[in-house]
């Protein structure tokens, strides 16, 4: 008996902004389970900015997507058929077989999850209780070494990682947390809902000037999701000994030529700054600490988690393109109906 | 009775390359010693690239030189008259009252030194056994965290700090040490005298290409004295987890406009790199370790120390301007006759 899966494949490597023509929806037939395999029906799949990097063929920490093959990425789903005792039917699992509705693979590729906390759907494991939250936690605390009393600046702060960074910063004793976002609505959410002390719309004027006004006493930590003029502004506002965690550079992801770096790199020397790039795959050893702390914060209502949900596997390319444009607040996920 | 001192003062803040007109030679008369003071006759004064930064009026880790006042900087000299028992006449001292032949100040501003090792002059305390050596040692080991087996790239490698970095790297177990310099003579010295495994003249072609050829397996550590295209080349050649110590950016010191940063900053994220700027003033707590290790290496002949010596306080501006142009190999000092 065969099982039909709808999957999204990359058919051409985007130059500049990706378009729907770079992808296709394919129908894949799975046969019966081989020993050791499980079949999982995805509930939510994740679209993330880093996936843009995997669409081009370049040296990176993670291999590029292959053309004419189904893309991969974070997802949560439920076991619907199984050959292994450890993953009985009905088990909620997280895994990297995103961009499809049904997946059938060796059990080793899946990790069993507890049921989500009351009031949350399983998508929380793609967001604040998943890789997104871990990225915020590791970047802020391990990479940028935020300490109580620090002033923290977060770019792209209304995104999934950014909203988590801002909240963790306050929970860990930051003195002042400042965020940038790309619309007045997002800026309002940053202060009203996510507890940022100040926020600005980077489209309203030079980031350098807006950051200086929002952080008249300078910043100690910068969590960078954007790069470009945001990084340059941070270098300008850093106090001595400042630390930047470089997590993303969405401003550059769709650039068609190399864009110059900040013109004020000399500040790194004169102010004794540290810039550290990271990708979360190297920091899974911190997942236990993260799960304990973030799980407690979330259960106690100290961290809010928002999502932008797009329905239907057939709309996942639109969800990804929307993410690139900043159409989301919080975590962008695709719900598999 | 008065004592005449010849001193170099800054009279205008250079825009672009400094010229002799930005300085003047002044005659300063000191009176008799006040209680607690000593009078020191300098033997050597130091000219260093960082002094260019002090000639402009900008926020930095160290205040700018004041116009129409004598500049300061590292120097070694001997006590010629004293009011304190701790610093008897004849004591060799290091201090920050450079750019003059005679200085008269409170004893607290001077640090007594042992006589230099056999065969060395007191200028060694401005070089490999002084701030220069400490800068190399801290930058390579503490800031860039060089580990045995690392491949190390040093820019401006024929300078005072660079020659020390290359030698310390090998003494600490580097697998391969690569240096750049600005002439064929310097390149030959790097490999023949200072033990670099490979070296290239940055004027011979794109640094990026030359570094790739010199480090086909990539680099783990970069010690940056130059900035600009050298930093960009390093970002291109870094292996995952690479570390850069940003010590200087002589390529930019005389720029008259902000120069763009590296166009490949995204590598910091994808390769998990760390860039840390530093100025040695924050790391004097490591002087004891440094003095012990470097003192032993120097005494055993495991570290060579070269100088470019300019004679006469009246030629110290020329010495500084020569340093800016790369006229020196090793430490540039002015000998006070």
């Amino acid at each position: 008996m065969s099982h039909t899966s709808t999957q999204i494949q990359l058919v051409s490597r985007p130059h500049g902004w990706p378009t729907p023509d770079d992808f296709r929806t394919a129908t894949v037939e799975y046969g019966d389970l081989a020993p050791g395999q499980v079949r999982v029906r995805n509930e939510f799949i994740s679209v993330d900015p880093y996936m843009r990097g995997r669409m081009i063929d370049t040296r990176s920490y993670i291999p590029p997507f292959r053309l004419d093959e189904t893309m991969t990425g974070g997802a949560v789903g439920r076991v619907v058929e199984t050959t292994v005792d450890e993953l009985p039917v009905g088990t909620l699992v997280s895994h990297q077989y995103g961009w499809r509705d049904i997946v059938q693979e060796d059990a080793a590729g899946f990790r069993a999850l507890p049921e989500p906390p009351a009031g949350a759907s399983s998508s929380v494991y793609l967001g604040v209780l998943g890789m997104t939250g871990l990225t915020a936690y590791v970047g802020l605390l391990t990479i940028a070494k935020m300490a109580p009393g620090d002033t923290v600046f977060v770019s792209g702060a209304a995104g999934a990682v950014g909203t988590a960074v801002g909240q963790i910063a306050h929970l860990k004793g930051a003195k002042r947390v400042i965020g940038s976002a790309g619309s007045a609505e997002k800026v309002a959410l940053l202060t009203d809902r996510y507890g940022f002390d100040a926020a600005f719309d980077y489209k309203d004027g030079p980031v350098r000037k807006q950051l200086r006004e929002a952080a008249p006493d300078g910043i100690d930590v910068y969590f960078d999701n954007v790069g470009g003029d945001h990084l340059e502004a941070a270098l300008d506002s850093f106090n001595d000994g400042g630390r930047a965690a470089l997590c993303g550079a969405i401003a550059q992801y769709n650039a068609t030529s190399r864009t110059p770096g900040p013109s004020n790199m000399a500040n790194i020397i004169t102010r004794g700054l540290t810039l550290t790039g990271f990708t979360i795959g190297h920091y899974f050893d911190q997942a236990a600490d993260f799960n304990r702390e973030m799980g407690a914060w979330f259960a106690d209502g100290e961290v809010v988690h928002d999502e932008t949900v797009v329905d239907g596997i057939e709309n996942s390319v639109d969800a990804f393109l929307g993410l690139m444009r900043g159409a989301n607040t919080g975590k962008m996920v695709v719900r598999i109906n």
Side-chain angles (χ1 to χ4, degrees), chain A:
Chain A
M1 180 186 161
S2 84
H3 302 265
T4 300
S5 171
T6 302
Q7 309 196 345
I8 312 299
Q9 302 184 333
L10 186 70
V11 295
S12 57
R13 302 204 177 278
H15 183 70
W17 286 85
T19 70
D21 291 344
D22 293 319
F23 309 90
R24 81 166 150 239
T25 303
T27 301
V28 173
E29 301 287 335
Y30 288 120
D32 291 336
L33 291 184
Q37 284 191 327
V38 295
R39 185 176 305 120
V40 167
R41 189 177 187 291
N42 284 334
E43 294 188 347
F44 291 92
I45 67 173
S46 185
V47 290
D48 300 281
Y50 81 88
M51 292 170 171
R52 178 65 185 83
R54 297 194 66 190
M55 293 175 186
I56 58 171
D57 189 9
T58 188
R59 170 184 160 184
S60 186
Y61 60 100
I62 187 168
F65 293 132
R66 294 188 187 197
L67 290 182
D68 300 318
E69 294 188 8
T70 302
M71 296 184 290
T72 55
V76 290
R78 261 178 219 283
V79 177
V80 291
E81 195 178 334
T82 189
T83 65
V84 299
D85 294 342
E86 296 76 18
L87 293 176
V89 168
T91 308
L92 188 66
V93 292
S94 71
H95 58 87
Q96 286 294 313
Y97 303 109
W99 293 98
R100 71 200 80 188
D101 57 356
I102 304 279
V103 57
Q104 179 171 321
E105 290 286 350
D106 278 347
F110 302 89
R111 190 168 64 85
L113 293 170
E115 290 301 312
S121 72
S122 61
S123 57
V124 75
Y125 292 120
L126 299 178
V128 78
L129 295 185
M131 215 70 93
T132 298
L134 182 63
T135 299
Y137 181 89
V138 166
L140 183 68
L141 303 178
T142 301
I143 305 296
K145 299 183 172 61
M146 194 210 89
D150 279 347
T151 294
V152 177
F153 173 47
V154 188
S155 62
V161 171
T163 53
V165 170
Q167 296 181 86
I168 297 170
H170 271 311
L171 288 163
K172 287 290 189 177
K175 183 170 73 179
R176 184 171 170 80
V177 183
I178 298 144
S180 72
S183 75
E185 292 74 16
K186 289 181 179 178
V187 165
L189 276 174
L190 288 180
T191 51
D192 300 348
R193 180 158 171 80
Y194 301 111
F196 285 71
D197 300 286
F200 60 85
D201 181 344
Y202 65 84
K203 294 170 180 166
D204 279 350
V207 177
R208 188 188 298 242
K209 181 165 171 289
Q210 294 197 76
L211 177 58
R212 269 211 205 133
E213 288 165 3
D217 296 327
I219 63 171
D220 305 296
V221 162
Y222 174 46
F223 193 108
D224 191 9
N225 294 305
V226 173
D229 57 351
H230 279 77
L231 178 56
E232 186 168 85
L235 292 180
D236 232 54
S237 277
F238 261 127
N239 295 322
D240 290 355
R243 291 91 58 207
L246 309 190
C247 179
I250 200 165
Q252 274 100 61
Y253 287 167
N254 297 304
T256 52
S257 60
R258 288 191 144 197
T259 46
S263 66
N264 51 358
M265 296 285 286
N267 290 359
I268 300 175
I269 301 174
T270 55
R271 303 185 191 179
L273 309 179
T274 298
L275 274 57
T276 305
F278 76 109
T279 52
I280 197 59
H282 291 96
Y283 296 91
F284 289 159
D285 60 332
Q286 298 189 33
D289 286 345
F290 163 74
N291 288 335
R292 191 187 65 248
E293 279 207 285
M294 188 61 112
W297 289 328
F298 189 73
D300 296 346
E302 297 193 271
V303 165
V304 296
H305 173 239
D306 291 320
E307 297 173 339
T308 302
V309 179
V310 169
D311 271 298
I313 182 68
E314 67 278 11
N315 294 318
S316 44
V317 167
D318 283 349
F320 176 73
L321 298 177
L323 174 77
M324 286 280 110
R325 286 192 310 270
N328 58 304
T329 298
K331 182 75 187 97
M332 179 76 107
V333 293
V334 178
R335 180 160 47 200
I336 308 300
N337 306 111

